[in-house]
């Protein structure tokens, strides 16, 4: 097969896409990648052909505030989400769509595999089915679908347990719809109208789940609030960690089992201020003699972490997670979806503290599923962090629940599930078998460009 991957230019989206691409490369398929130019080196190192996103979508979301400067002055909440959705996702649709068609002209793919926020695929999904390849999208965040209790996404609410809660959630949902979903939909449908396709009537993040030919949720069912999903949704576990990206740290031999290992990370998006989580965690555990704290700076220099660094702490810019995670006893994180799922797949319980982007909802699932403690704040105190880490370390229930979650990940077989779904879609699409696709693809390009 020839497979075109399309990824939002953000590390948390690119990493799982590259891991899935590696599964297909190992199975003998030809891969091309459409994403931001800042990731060209990583894509080409994987053996895939690289296509850059055109201007208007070719940004670097590792520094989200440089992409949308106005977010600097907006507190986390509905306005922040609305502005982020419109500036990062809706405004990028024309350029992303242009990039998709240009890539398909040069690389006649049998199937397109994208992440869940590459909304430039929407004009193709809303156009004639015969004019495009099959489209598989991958859920790199919590599953953005309507909840049975009526609660909106992105506000970190656990499932309602009482009728009173349901009534409270209804009020919150109405406010969220008026302040976020409807304004974003109006902006989205203005863009879609310029492509000559029908408008979308459900929230932006729901739309790609409904329209994709298959939607691969990169998690397990037990980490998702129970509700009915479209038949196209498949839980496929978390992709294998890409190995040998960085060498072992010089202090690797210290992770010898003599002390509990607490890993703390702020990921690669919300790591502009290590005072939010890394610094207070180091301070919180400085006097815990049975603990070794390992911190990763998410690609930033080690000296960006404010000092002084406690004697029981070790810091690196990047770390080889395939080596590190089997040695970790607790992960302290702001709630990046990929990191949380990787930790659970190794049976690691969590302490979470993060309310931006999708993190409030990810962390609500951590607490609800029993795999960790959610501090439900962007700025936890050292005292709260110490208590939460000791609770997770000292109470076996968290480790036991995380271990059961790891068993569920292991039962899925991510490699075989991904290959089975993608090959089935290519096999079902008769035009891919005859090779008679280019005329339709070009006509679709004329229609939607």
């Amino acid at each position: 097969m020839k497979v075109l991957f399309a990824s939002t230019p953000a590390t948390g989206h690119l990493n799982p896409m590259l891991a899935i691409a590696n599964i297909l490369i190992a199975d003998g398929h030809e891969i091309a990648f459409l994403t931001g130019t800042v990731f060209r080196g990583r894509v080409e190192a994987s053996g895939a052909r690289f296509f850059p996103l055109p201007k208007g979508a070719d940004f670097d979301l590792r520094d989200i505030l440089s992409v949308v400067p106005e977010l600097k002055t907006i507190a986390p909440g509905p306005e922040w989400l609305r502005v982020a959705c419109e500036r990062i996702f809706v405004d990028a649709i024309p350029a992303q769509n242009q990039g998709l068609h240009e890539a398909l002209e040069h690389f006649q793919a049998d199937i397109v595999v994208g992440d869940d926020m590459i909304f430039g695929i929407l004009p193709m999904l809303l156009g004639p089915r015969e004019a495009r390849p099959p489209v598989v999208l991958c859920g790199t965040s919590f599953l953005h679908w309507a909840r049975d209790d009526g609660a909106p996404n992105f506000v970190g609410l656990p499932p309602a347990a009482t009728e009173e809660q349901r009534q409270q959630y209804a009020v919150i949902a109405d406010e969220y719809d008026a302040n976020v979903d409807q304004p974003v939909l109006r902006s989205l449908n203005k863009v879609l109208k310029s492509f000559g396709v029908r408008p979308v009537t459900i929230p932006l993040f729901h739309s790609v789940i409904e329209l994709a030919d298959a939607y691969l949720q990169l998690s397990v069912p037990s980490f998702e609030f129970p509700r009915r999903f479209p038949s196209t949704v498949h839980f496929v576990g978390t992709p294998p960690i890409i190995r040998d990206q960085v060498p072992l740290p010089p202090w690797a031999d210290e992770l010898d089992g003599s002390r509990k290992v607490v890993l703390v990370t702020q990921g690669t998006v919300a790591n502009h201020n290590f005072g939010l989580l890394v610094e207070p965690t180091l301070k919180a555990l400085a006097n815990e003699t049975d603990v070794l704290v390992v911190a990763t700076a998410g690609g930033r220099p080690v000296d960006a972490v404010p000092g002084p660094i406690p004697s029981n702490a070790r810091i690196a810019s990047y770390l080889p997670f395939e080596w590190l995670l089997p040695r970790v006893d607790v992960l302290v994180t702001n709630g990046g979806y990929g990191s949380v799922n990787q930790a659970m797949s190794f049976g690691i319980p969590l302490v979470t503290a993060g309310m931006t982007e999708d993190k409030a909802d990810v962390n609500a699932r951590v607490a609800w599923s029993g795999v960790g403690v959610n501090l439900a704040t962007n700025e936890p105190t050292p005292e709260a962090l110490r208590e939460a880490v000791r609770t997770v370390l000292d109470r076996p229930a968290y480790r036991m629940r995380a271990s059961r979650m790891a068993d569920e990940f292991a039962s899925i077989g991510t490699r075989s599930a991904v290959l089975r779904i993608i090959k089935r879609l290519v096999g079902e699409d008769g035009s891919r078998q005859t090779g008679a696709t280019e005329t339709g693809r070009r006509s679709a390009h004329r229609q939607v460009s």
Side-chain angles (χ1 to χ4, degrees), residues 324-353:
L324 178 61
L325 291 184
R327 295 165 170 82
V328 171
D329 295 283
V330 176
L331 172 64
V332 180
T333 173
N334 53 2
Y337 192 72
S339 297
V340 166
N341 277 277
Q342 281 184 346
M344 291 189 300
S345 74
F346 282 86
I348 302 169
L350 303 110
V351 171
T352 62

Side-chain angles (χ1 to χ4, degrees), residues 16 69 73 76 97 149 153 158 161-162 170 198 240 299 339-340 358 371-372 384 408 417:
T73 58
N97 186 265
D149 60 9
N153 292 321
T162 66
R198 64 179 173 86
S339 297
V340 166
D358 61 349
V371 297
E408 187 173 354

